[in-house]
Amino acid sequence: LLAELARRGFATVPEPGRRIVDAEQRQGGQALPWLDMAAFARRAIAMALDDRAAVAAAGTGAGSGWTFFDRGLIDAAVALQHATGEPAVETLGRAHRYHPRVFLTPPWPAIYHQDDARAHDLSTAIAEYHRLRAAYAALGYTMTILPHASVQARADLVLERLAGEVKVSGSPPPPL
């Protein structure tokens, strides 16, 4: 979905988790979700905060006014809270707001696959998805759940839902 939005001229920010896993695997590090979820989540929080700051410093994305984040701060806070019990979602989620509308993509068994950066199984992904839905709802976000459809149809739906909406001053656009 992010690649399709980028193809259409929108700025995008890749998922912190995959970047962290790649760096940790190259260095032989331990901040991997299957080895040390708390360390991984803390790195993801730091990276998501850096990503938000970089987007804010650069201004709006690709002339469109929208920059799309693949996952982000709330996702990392949910992971940390799940791993440690620390109240990360409320603390970080209230202090660092995104655009009020977020787009969630439920795990889709027909296309879900494990790889070097995603070692968890489908049932773990489904449980994480439910934690994310609960966290975004508790933080007052308007959620759009994207249907099981083609990438192009999902991108069309994202853009349709954002048509006419404006970027909220001081907050980055929606994460996906």
Side-chain angles (χ1 to χ4, degrees):
L1 178 56
L2 231 60
E4 176 64 17
L5 291 166
R7 188 189 69 72
R8 294 182 188 196
F10 294 93
T12 61
V13 177
E15 176 184 346
R18 286 189 174 274
R19 291 181 280 160
I20 293 165
V21 168
D22 181 56
E24 290 294 301
Q25 288 178 331
R26 280 187 281 109
Q27 312 168 14
Q30 299 296 306
L32 295 164
W34 53 89
L35 296 179
D36 187 345
M37 177 56 88
F40 171 79
R42 284 185 175 86
R43 290 237 2 236
I45 287 168
M47 186 175 284
L49 288 168
D50 289 347
D51 289 344
R52 287 169 50 90
V55 167
T60 60
S64 70
W66 297 109
T67 300
F68 294 96
F69 291 78
D70 187 353
R71 297 192 171 247
L73 183 62
I74 306 305
D75 297 62
V78 167
L80 181 63
Q81 187 165 312
H82 180 69
T84 67
E86 295 176 35
V89 173
E90 181 68 23
T91 303
L92 291 167
R94 299 273 179 222
H96 303 280
R97 302 287 300 170
Y98 286 90
H99 184 278
R101 178 180 301 281
V102 298
F103 299 92
L104 295 176
T105 55
W108 186 1
I111 64 171
Y112 185 86
H113 68 279
Q114 295 170 291
D115 58 30
D116 290 341
R118 181 183 290 127
H120 58 274
D121 63 14
L122 180 61
S123 65
T124 302
I126 291 169
E128 178 189 34
Y129 169 74
H130 289 295
R131 287 190 298 273
L132 291 172
R133 281 189 69 167
Y136 279 110
L139 291 168
Y141 284 94
T142 300
M143 289 180 281
T144 298
I145 309 303
L146 297 175
H148 295 169
S150 71
V151 171
Q152 295 78 13
R154 287 180 180 208
D156 290 344
L157 179 60
V158 166
L159 297 177
E160 286 170 15
R161 292 289 160 90
L162 291 174
E165 290 192 21
V166 295
K167 185 175 171 183
V168 177
S169 178
S171 65
L176 294 173

